[in-house]
Amino acid sequence: MVFERQKEAFFQAASQKQLVAASGSQYSCEVGSAKFYTLCAFGGLLSCGLTHTAVVPLDLVKCRIQVDPDKYKSLGNGFKVSIKEGGMKALTLGWAPTLVGYSMQGIGKFGFYEAFKNLYSGILGEENAYLYRTSMYLAASASAEFFADIFLCPMESVKVRIQTTPGWETTLRAGAPRIMQEEGINGFYKGLSPLWARQIPYTMMKFACFERTVELLYKYVVPKPRSDCNKSEQLAVTFVAGYIAGVFCAIVSHPADSIVSKLNANPGGGVASAAKELGFAGMWKGLGPRIIMIGTLTALQWFIYDSVKVAFRLPRPPPPEMPESLKRKLAAQQ
């Protein structure tokens, strides 16, 4: 099975100094072990929770531009109006549900991605896993995000209302009980469908684009093989590939993001009415700030996630190479 061969390849790479661990030449666990998935989930928790919380001010203004473009006309104007009305403290509104919600999402997004990628590669077999690796990345990331959004949705509902509804609660401990009291459990999950519509394409692009960009960077840009790069150089490639992936992520998921913001700001509305009220042009309001936010977020998330793998000495696969069996088949056909 390709899964077993991948594990053998990782340990062979270690002996060749291809992926030297932080404190030696041995990994702390095997790919597919409970420890491996637990630490991957922990890396996802840190990468998503910390980065999304760090850009709360930008996210707040972005959401307000989407919900009320007449009042918040641009990124700069949005910051100015928000500070004028609530002071600098107003820019931190929604930090608590952001930290909790995106930490939980990160557990599902990265931890489940590793699990689904290994599962699907085993089902496909070594040769097909290589030939159809982009489709495998897309399927694994979509599967992971489906569950990750279930974790995120309740906190996202609280966050958007705190940030975009004037006169509403300003804290998680007050906002969550209010939603439960007024709307029940459905109030936390009414935005799940548009959240899936936003996050699943976003995550599919995030992982597939990142994986293929890393592959291309090492093949065409980095002047030496990955095995000759030190950890700092490898993490730099991770950051660049993450930012490139983030730009595409922001574009493909932005219309659904606008609908989510509008829907949570207007509790009585539905997806169709929110889309109709926004209009096609309105769905693209706030794209500039979101590109900046998501590009930076995605780059930092991949950097933190990869750094966690380095710190805990987890196996980190090199860019995929064509299996020898496939090379022989192709050579025989020529």
Side-chain angles (χ1 to χ4, degrees):
M1 296 296 286
V2 66
F3 175 58
E4 296 298 328
R5 293 179 183 176
Q6 283 179 330
K7 288 194 290 185
E8 293 176 5
F10 291 153
F11 287 94
Q12 290 173 358
S15 65
Q16 299 166 356
K17 297 183 180 181
Q18 193 168 14
L19 289 172
V20 180
S23 62
S25 60
Q26 295 182 349
Y27 296 117
S28 65
C29 61
E30 294 185 2
V31 176
S33 66
K35 182 178 179 180
F36 176 79
Y37 290 130
T38 299
L39 290 175
C40 286
F42 177 69
L45 180 151
L46 291 180
S47 66
C48 290
L50 294 178
T51 52
H52 277 277
T53 304
V55 296
V56 161
L58 185 59
D59 182 50
L60 178 140
V61 174
K62 181 268 300 180
C63 288
R64 289 180 173 181
I65 291 173
Q66 292 172 326
V67 172
D68 193 355
D70 294 329
K71 182 177 181 179
Y72 305 96
K73 297 178 173 59
S74 65
L75 180 60
N77 176 258
F79 273 106
K80 183 178 179 180
V81 173
S82 297
I83 293 173
K84 182 179 179 180
E85 291 183 345
M88 292 298 295
K89 186 178 179 180
L91 297 179
T92 65
L93 287 174
W95 74 267
T98 297
L99 177 61
V100 175
Y102 282 93
S103 294
M104 295 171 65
Q105 186 209 37
I107 292 172
K109 186 191 294 284
F110 284 92
F112 288 9
Y113 173 72
E114 297 284 0
F116 280 116
K117 185 170 70 169
N118 283 333
L119 173 64
Y120 295 156
S121 67
I123 293 172
L124 289 171
E126 185 179 29
E127 294 181 2
N128 285 331
Y130 175 79
L131 290 172
Y132 304 106
R133 59 192 182 280
T134 301
S135 298
M136 182 180 69
Y137 301 147
L138 292 169
S141 56
S143 301
E145 189 62 31
F146 177 86
F147 295 101
D149 288 344
I150 296 174
F151 302 157
L152 167 65
C153 196
M155 293 296 101
E156 181 75 356
S157 177
V158 178
K159 176 190 78 75
V160 173
R161 296 190 197 189
I162 288 174
Q163 292 178 337
T164 62
T165 306
W168 208 72
E169 308 295 346
T170 58
T171 65
L172 172 60
R173 64 178 179 271
R178 178 171 175 177
I179 292 177
M180 177 61 76
Q181 181 180 8
E182 295 179 353
E183 303 174 50
I185 195 69
N186 183 60
F188 292 107
Y189 286 99
K190 64 176 298 182
L192 183 58
S193 293
L195 189 63
W196 275 330
R198 179 188 81 184
Q199 288 296 131
I200 290 178
Y202 163 86
T203 301
M204 292 170 71
M205 182 66 70
K206 174 178 182 174
F207 282 87
C209 184
F210 172 81
E211 298 268 21
R212 294 309 300 264
T213 301
V214 167
E215 187 178 335
L216 293 173
L217 287 175
Y218 278 113
K219 187 174 182 179
Y220 296 110
V221 179
V222 179
K224 55 185 176 181
R226 186 177 190 257
S227 57
D228 294 337
C229 296
N230 59 38
K231 288 295 184 289
S232 297
E233 291 169 335
Q234 291 180 17
L235 290 174
V237 172
T238 294
F239 184 86
V240 172
Y243 206 101
I244 292 171
V247 172
F248 289 99
C249 289
I251 294 172
V252 301
S253 63
H254 191 72
D257 181 65
S258 297
I259 292 174
V260 170
S261 296
K262 191 70 173 178
L263 189 62
N264 283 316
N266 297 280
V271 175
S273 61
K276 183 177 180 180
E277 186 176 347
L278 284 168
F280 181 79
M283 291 183 189
W284 296 99
K285 290 285 187 180
L287 178 59
R290 191 159 188 266
I291 286 177
I292 297 171
M293 183 182 78
I294 296 300
T296 305
L297 274 177
T298 306
L300 289 174
Q301 284 172 3
W302 277 114
F303 183 84
I304 294 171
Y305 182 65
D306 224 19
S307 296
V308 169
K309 282 189 168 183
V310 170
F312 287 100
R313 299 186 292 115
L314 299 183
R316 297 165 60 239
E321 296 182 359
M322 184 180 294
E324 290 298 325
S325 60
L326 186 57
K327 289 180 181 179
R328 291 193 293 269
K329 288 181 180 180
L330 294 177
Q333 294 175 0
Q334 295 179 352

